[in-house]
Amino acid sequence: GQQVMQIPQYQHVQEGEDFTTYCNSSTTLSNIQWYKQRPGGHPVFLIQLVKSGEVKKQKRLTFQFGEAKKNSSLHITATQTTDVGTYFCAATTSGTYKYIFGTGTRLKVLA
Amino acid sequence: GAVVSQHPSRVICKSGTSVKIECRSLDFQATTMFWYRQFPKQSLMLMATSNEGSKATYEQGVEKDKFLINHASLTLSTLTVTSAHPEDSSFYICSARTGGDSPLHFGNGTRLTVT
């Protein structure tokens, strides 16, 4: 079945450093969503990307969708302790209605 | 808006018993809901898609007779873990969306422990 890989699996950064997680698929994606899950919590929607090469920003977060629509990235500038959690991409392919979640990247921010 | 309520949040049951988990969309109608399972420090694994008024669609490898899904109304889907065993212990989480490619709204999840 479709697999969506994310790297890195874990990332520890000092507060103020930048962070990037990458989401990769072997198949062309219809669209991709990003979610954040805090420890002990449930995933919370962050953004959706639909167009090839699309870039969206939310304050310190920048999301990109690859030109070939097979990969995506989430970049956080100047991390804060509130950024701690696991970031998941969730992707769907054309003709399907379900989202497959990536393997996730767990971010730890050291104060 | 778009709140999903899941109940119970935690349940402990004995091996061999059945457990029902409810997922409700509180302020919107959801013709489709999704059930995921999450092991500690791992990703969300899609178990099945719950369709209002019709049979659920199960992912490969998920036993439909063990994980019974009922989507009786536009705001309620239930997952029943039948004859639970310790290996069924996990975090089960449902999600729903208002339609099309709209975001998934998740319930708070149910932590099931089978003793």
Side-chain angles (χ1 to χ4, degrees):
Chain A
Q2 179 189 357
Q3 283 194 318
V4 182
M5 304 301 294
Q6 277 182 257
I7 53 170
Q9 189 175 5
Y10 303 95
Q11 184 85 60
H12 292 182
V13 299
Q14 287 291 136
E15 189 174 22
E17 292 182 340
D18 293 355
F19 159 76
T20 304
T21 173
Y22 300 90
C23 179
N24 298 293
S25 170
S26 57
T27 57
T28 302
L29 304 173
S30 178
N31 63 52
I32 198 160
Q33 296 177 350
W34 283 91
Y35 292 81
K36 176 184 179 181
Q37 184 177 24
R38 291 182 183 275
H42 62 274
V44 174
F45 173 77
L46 295 176
I47 205 88
Q48 175 169 281
L49 303 170
V50 179
K51 300 177 183 176
S52 168
E54 188 171 14
V55 178
K56 286 188 177 180
K57 292 192 176 186
Q58 283 181 353
K59 297 182 180 177
R60 294 179 295 105
L61 278 61
T62 302
F63 304 84
Q64 284 191 305
F65 202 2
E67 293 289 343
K69 298 185 76 173
K70 288 185 175 183
N71 55 70
S72 179
S73 65
L74 158 59
H75 179 82
I76 302 178
T77 303
T79 54
Q80 299 174 358
T81 54
T82 53
D83 295 325
V84 164
T86 302
Y87 293 84
F88 291 101
C89 60
T92 186
T93 54
S94 179
T96 68
Y97 51 84
K98 57 188 181 184
Y99 280 86
I100 302 300
F101 275 72
T103 47
T105 296
R106 193 169 327 136
L107 172 65
K108 193 168 186 177
V109 180
L110 306 172
Chain B
V3 177
V4 176
S5 173
Q6 188 172 339
H7 179 81
S9 58
R10 289 180 183 274
V11 59
I12 300 173
C13 71
K14 291 187 176 181
S15 188
T17 60
S18 295
V19 173
K20 180 185 281 190
I21 303 169
E22 291 188 350
C23 180
R24 294 180 185 272
S25 55
L26 296 186
D27 50 1
F28 66 100
Q29 294 182 335
T31 55
T32 303
M33 291 185 176
F34 302 92
W35 287 95
Y36 291 87
R37 182 174 181 176
Q38 187 175 35
F39 291 101
K41 300 182 180 180
Q42 292 192 25
S43 185
L44 288 82
M45 182 192 78
L46 179 63
M47 298 175 65
T49 302
S50 173
N51 305 298
E52 188 268 336
S54 65
K55 292 182 180 180
T57 305
Y58 290 83
E59 294 300 302
Q60 191 174 9
V62 178
E63 298 176 61
K64 60 182 179 181
D65 293 332
K66 180 164 189 63
F67 299 100
L68 299 179
I69 291 173
N70 187 305
H71 196 145
S73 75
L74 287 170
T75 58
L76 174 63
S77 175
T78 60
L79 167 67
T80 301
V81 182
T82 62
S83 188
H85 288 106
E87 55 264 32
D88 298 324
S89 298
S90 189
F91 188 60
Y92 294 88
I93 189 163
C94 70
S95 69
R97 59 187 182 205
T98 54
D101 287 333
S102 59
L104 296 173
H105 301 282
F106 284 86
N108 287 333
T110 297
R111 187 159 304 283
L112 170 65
T113 303
V114 184
T115 61

